[in-house]
Amino acid sequence: QASLAYAWLKIVYSNSLSEQSRCAMGISSSLNAKEGGRRVVVSGAGEDEANGLYVETVKPHDGKPQFVYAGRSRCNAPIVLWFASSGEQWNIRKDVPTISKAPRTFDGVLGVVSSTGKHWYIASRSTGADIDGSGDVPPTAGWAVSARAGERAMGEAAYGIGPAPFVKLLADGEPVPEDVIRDMEERGAKYIADGE
């Protein structure tokens, strides 16, 4: 059963879409999983959607690898862990599509839903993260909720996303913890069942 679950986790969101769909949604093909790439597990985040397995992408960002969530997210939006050299910080963000696949009802009005990217968590020297000591991978500790975490297209979010997560780099051949697999599968199934 663990091998079936692991096979499911190897299907990365951006690889499951056609190039045309990625372009229409504004999603870069650089988010494709890198063959034999490194893997990290994000855990303990107050935003449950941020927790889980991330795999290294084909293309780095600002000279360091970036990682994409390896499971099913709400609205099939990629969740990315990346480094920004301008702010010298690691980030976890969700790239929410700006246009939904089909009109949805919002307060009784049928229309197209738009949203913004969600910048959830950061790790930098100012948050206490050892970004120099972690080399070219995200630091394990010192993460904080981003000051931009509550920003939405239609105002501020009405809820918080604390606490900030911890990140663990998995060694080559190290299995993904079964509780991580189970949590990702359960959340993915719920998002599908709820039409998200």
Side-chain angles (χ1 to χ4, degrees), residues 44-47 121 145 159-165:
E47 171 53 67
Y121 303 103
V145 174
Y159 54 88
I161 62 165

Side-chain angles (χ1 to χ4, degrees), residues 109-145:
V109 177
L110 187 64
V112 176
V113 175
S114 71
S115 187
T116 56
K118 297 173 181 174
H119 192 171
W120 289 331
Y121 303 103
I122 63 169
S124 65
R125 287 180 195 90
S126 66
T127 65
D130 183 9
I131 63 168
D132 299 314
S134 67
D136 69 346
V137 294
T140 58
W143 287 84
V145 174

Side-chain angles (χ1 to χ4, degrees), residues 176-189:
V176 178
E178 287 190 32
D179 61 323
V180 171
I181 293 170
R182 187 173 37 260
D183 179 56
M184 290 176 69
E185 286 179 329
E186 288 172 0
R187 282 187 287 120

Side-chain angles (χ1 to χ4, degrees), residues 8-9 69 71-74 76 181-196:
W8 173 80
L9 287 173
Y69 180 71
R72 171 71 158 74
S73 66
R74 288 183 184 103
N76 278 331
I181 293 170
R182 187 173 37 260
D183 179 56
M184 290 176 69
E185 286 179 329
E186 288 172 0
R187 282 187 287 120
K190 180 185 182 316
Y191 302 150
I192 291 168
D194 292 347
E196 294 185 284

Side-chain angles (χ1 to χ4, degrees), residues 10-194:
K10 288 173 68 175
I11 300 170
V12 176
Y13 163 75
S14 60
N15 287 343
S16 67
L17 290 177
S18 69
E19 184 64 27
Q20 181 180 10
S21 295
R22 278 195 296 266
C23 291
M25 294 174 70
I27 299 167
S28 169
S29 61
S30 67
L31 294 180
N32 289 332
K34 179 178 179 178
E35 185 70 32
R38 292 172 282 191
R39 303 163 302 141
V40 297
V41 171
V42 172
S43 62
E47 171 53 67
D48 69 337
E49 203 173 2
N51 295 315
L53 177 69
Y54 290 69
V55 294
E56 187 174 358
T57 63
V58 172
K59 190 173 181 181
H61 184 270
D62 274 359
K64 295 201 182 203
Q66 57 183 343
F67 300 82
V68 66
Y69 180 71
R72 171 71 158 74
S73 66
R74 288 183 184 103
C75 301
N76 278 331
I79 301 170
V80 185
L81 197 162
W82 57 287
F83 183 79
S85 60
S86 60
E88 294 188 322
Q89 71 181 23
W90 284 91
N91 305 270
I92 299 175
R93 73 169 192 266
K94 181 176 179 182
D95 292 336
V96 179
T98 55
I99 300 174
S100 70
K101 293 179 186 175
R104 295 187 185 177
T105 301
F106 180 74
D107 286 344
V109 177
L110 187 64
V112 176
V113 175
S114 71
S115 187
T116 56
K118 297 173 181 174
H119 192 171
W120 289 331
Y121 303 103
I122 63 169
S124 65
R125 287 180 195 90
S126 66
T127 65
D130 183 9
I131 63 168
D132 299 314
S134 67
D136 69 346
V137 294
T140 58
W143 287 84
V145 174
S146 168
R148 296 176 43 204
E151 293 177 5
R152 301 293 182 270
M154 300 180 71
E156 287 291 310
Y159 54 88
I161 62 165
F166 294 94
V167 176
K168 178 186 180 196
L169 176 67
L170 296 178
D172 286 341
E174 181 179 355
V176 178
E178 287 190 32
D179 61 323
V180 171
I181 293 170
R182 187 173 37 260
D183 179 56
M184 290 176 69
E185 286 179 329
E186 288 172 0
R187 282 187 287 120
K190 180 185 182 316
Y191 302 150
I192 291 168
D194 292 347

